[in-house]
């Protein structure tokens, strides 16, 4: 609980911890073999505060987590899914298509409307039926 409070305080100190510092920190932390427990909470809260971090989250953080088989770590997987829902649909689709089929199905089951839009996106992008 104290770590969560400390994280909240740091994120509120925008002069001390501006977007650039948060982004650089996230880039460092994603390189750890196992991301720290609060990594996804930090990512989600940072993304909520700084929408300009979306490309970093979509194009680096979430894709690296896929490489690390994020779905095998339940707490980080939950955070991954929450972050995925926070980014623009087009960015989310680019991430989702990198997941293995069982995880894609989980995303579609959790968010059926997003699943339908993903099918349309895939048909439009690749001429494939999803």
């Amino acid at each position: 609980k104290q770590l969560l409070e400390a994280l909240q305080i740091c994120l509120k100190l925008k002069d001390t911890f501006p977007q650039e510092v948060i982004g650089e920190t996230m880039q460092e932390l994603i390189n750890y073999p196992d991301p720290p427990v609060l990594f996804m909470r930090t990512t989600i809260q940072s993304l909520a505060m700084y929408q300009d971090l979306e490309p970093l989250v979509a194009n680096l953080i979430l894709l690296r987590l896929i490489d690390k088989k994020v779905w095998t770590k339940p707490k980080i997987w939950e955070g991954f899914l929450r972050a995925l829902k926070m980014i623009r649909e087009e960015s989310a689709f680019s991430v989702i298509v990198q997941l293995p089929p069982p995880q894609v199905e989980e995303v579609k089951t959790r968010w059926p409307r997003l699943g339908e839009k993903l099918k349309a996106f895939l048909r439009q992008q690749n001429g494939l039926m999803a």
Side-chain angles (χ1 to χ4, degrees), residues 77-78 81 85 105-113:
W77 175 239
E78 276 304 314
L81 293 172
K85 191 135 180 160
E105 289 306 314
E106 182 176 346
V107 170
K108 288 180 183 179
T109 300
R110 282 183 180 223
W111 300 302
R113 197 173 76 144

Side-chain angles (χ1 to χ4, degrees), residues 72-90:
T72 64
K73 300 168 183 98
K75 287 187 178 187
I76 296 178
W77 175 239
E78 276 304 314
F80 175 96
L81 293 172
R82 287 181 187 187
L84 186 64
K85 191 135 180 160
M86 292 176 71
I87 61 177
R88 288 177 297 121
E89 286 182 352
E90 295 79 20

Side-chain angles (χ1 to χ4, degrees), residues 62-72 77 80-81 84 93-108 118 122:
L62 297 180
L63 293 178
R64 288 255 179 96
L65 287 169
I66 291 172
D67 292 341
K68 296 173 188 269
K69 298 182 177 12
V70 65
W71 53 91
T72 64
W77 175 239
F80 175 96
L81 293 172
L84 186 64
F93 296 155
S94 297
V95 173
I96 293 168
V97 299
Q98 302 299 315
L99 289 165
Q103 283 67 43
V104 172
E105 289 306 314
E106 182 176 346
V107 170
K108 288 180 183 179
L118 176 62
L122 290 173

